[in-house]
Amino acid sequence: MIDGHMHLEYGPLDKEYVLEFIEEAKRKGLSEIQILDHTHRFVEFKPIYENLRKYEVQDKWLDGKLKFCNSLDKFISLMEEIKKMDTGISVKYGLEVCYVPEYEKFLRETLSKYSFDFLVGAIHSVDGVLYDMAFSKELLWDKYDVNHIYKRYYDLVFDLVKSNLFTQLAHPDTIKLFNYYPTYDLKPTYHELAELLNEHHVKAENNTGCYYRYDHKDMGLSDELLDILLEHKVEMITASDAHKPEHVGSYIKEVYSKTFPAQ
């Protein structure tokens, strides 16, 4: 079993901390883990977040602890050292990149300078407003039409996939995390997403983070979206979205058989 999405975000970039994630993965019976951090940790990606600063609360969040505090070189050096160790488990590393279409050229030029095992693309904001923070309800959800938010979110997801920058799509339906839902039928959107993922050779995550981090009823992807991805034979990967060592592998066993029913 693979946990394809976990973050060092709340801890230091040092070997001892990474080994805590590895030991938890082994304890949970995982065969492989993918370690990544958000691009907002690394100084190289600071420009792509400038469009969030128009709101004071988002500006304050970006100036908070562990934002733009490390260089990519430090992260890469650490993870290369880890990969040379006999840890008893396969360890890969990459980034979770906040895709912002206005900065696609910047992202392409920056990412081309490095070699990662994988690159995860994620949408965390809709037209300059973060949708997954406590303050997002006031800034976004209670202010704008939910149908419009969903349509813009999936437009951005489609652009992300079509950019050919990424090998993996982070938490495809995490837009549901606060239980806001559109009134229109999402199935055509899901079919289009599945076709794009196949066309551009991008894996989709069955990510359990919404379940245990936001108390959402779905343990991973919604049944509707998962069924459509499986119908289209989209390549899948299970992921916990762990932000702490103890969360590594969370509910991976529970979603594994649904994600890979033929195995």
Side-chain angles (χ1 to χ4, degrees):
M1 289 188 297
I2 297 173
D3 187 340
H5 188 136
M6 63 188 67
H7 297 281
L8 307 176
E9 182 171 358
Y10 297 142
L13 287 185
D14 63 37
K15 185 166 62 176
E16 289 72 23
Y17 191 55
V18 176
L19 289 174
E20 290 184 37
F21 285 78
I22 292 171
E23 290 305 311
E24 184 65 18
K26 290 162 65 176
R27 193 179 73 79
K28 297 274 179 65
L30 300 172
S31 60
E32 181 178 306
I33 59 173
Q34 294 190 163
I35 295 176
L36 55 149
D37 253 347
H38 290 286
T39 41
H40 61 60
R41 180 170 191 150
F42 302 106
V43 65
E44 290 86 350
F45 293 98
K46 193 172 184 179
I48 71 172
Y49 294 92
E50 288 306 305
N51 67 332
L52 300 181
R53 292 189 180 276
K54 59 186 176 182
Y55 295 102
E56 184 179 357
V57 66
Q58 292 185 165
D59 187 54
K60 185 177 180 180
W61 178 77
L62 285 169
D63 288 336
K65 187 178 180 182
L66 295 178
K67 302 293 192 301
F68 315 115
C69 61
N70 293 116
S71 70
L72 276 176
D73 287 340
K74 182 175 181 179
F75 175 60
I76 292 168
S77 177
L78 169 64
M79 294 311 303
E80 286 294 329
E81 182 181 1
I82 293 290
K83 288 182 69 173
K84 291 174 184 176
M85 297 173 61
D86 181 12
T87 60
I89 189 172
S90 174
V91 179
K92 296 180 180 178
Y93 73 96
L95 296 173
E96 179 175 351
V97 180
C98 284
Y99 177 76
V100 185
E102 299 93 320
Y103 289 91
E104 184 176 314
K105 181 180 178 183
F106 174 86
L107 288 171
R108 193 175 304 279
E109 291 174 351
T110 302
L111 294 169
S112 69
K113 300 172 186 176
Y114 304 92
S115 178
F116 296 98
D117 295 323
F118 60 90
L119 283 171
V120 178
I123 300 298
H124 284 288
S125 63
V126 174
D127 296 329
V129 185
L130 294 165
Y131 66 79
D132 56 355
M133 307 293 288
F135 54 72
S136 299
K137 294 182 180 183
E138 180 180 353
L139 286 187
L140 183 71
W141 292 108
D142 294 339
K143 187 174 181 181
Y144 297 100
D145 177 65
V146 172
N147 286 355
H148 172 74
I149 295 169
Y150 265 77
K151 287 175 181 177
R152 285 296 297 136
Y153 172 78
Y154 280 106
D155 282 345
L156 292 166
V157 170
F158 293 166
D159 287 344
L160 180 162
V161 175
K162 289 186 284 189
S163 74
N164 291 316
L165 288 171
F166 307 107
T167 58
Q168 189 169 312
L169 172 62
H171 35 65
D173 65 347
T174 192
I175 192 75
K176 68 188 178 184
L177 80 169
F178 292 131
N179 290 300
Y180 292 90
Y181 289 97
T183 58
Y184 67 90
D185 185 2
L186 280 167
K187 288 196 289 293
T189 299
Y190 292 163
H191 281 289
E192 185 175 355
L193 174 60
E195 291 168 0
L196 284 171
L197 289 168
N198 282 335
E199 180 183 349
H200 294 272
H201 309 288
V202 178
K203 294 179 184 178
E205 292 181 359
N206 194 354
N207 188 307
T208 64
C210 275
Y211 180 67
Y212 71 92
R213 296 181 63 219
Y214 295 95
D215 297 318
H216 194 277
K217 65 180 179 62
D218 293 340
M219 192 171 285
L221 293 170
S222 70
D223 289 342
E224 185 175 63
L225 177 52
L226 179 58
D227 287 345
I228 289 172
L229 294 177
L230 292 175
E231 176 188 335
H232 286 266
K233 296 181 171 56
V234 171
E235 189 173 0
M236 305 288 294
I237 189 167
T238 47
S240 70
D241 216 325
H243 283 60
K244 301 176 182 178
E246 59 265 33
H247 291 160
V248 170
S250 291
Y251 302 97
I252 296 295
K253 286 183 180 179
E254 288 82 351
V255 301
Y256 197 83
S257 60
K258 291 180 67 175
T259 310
F260 305 106
Q263 295 184 14

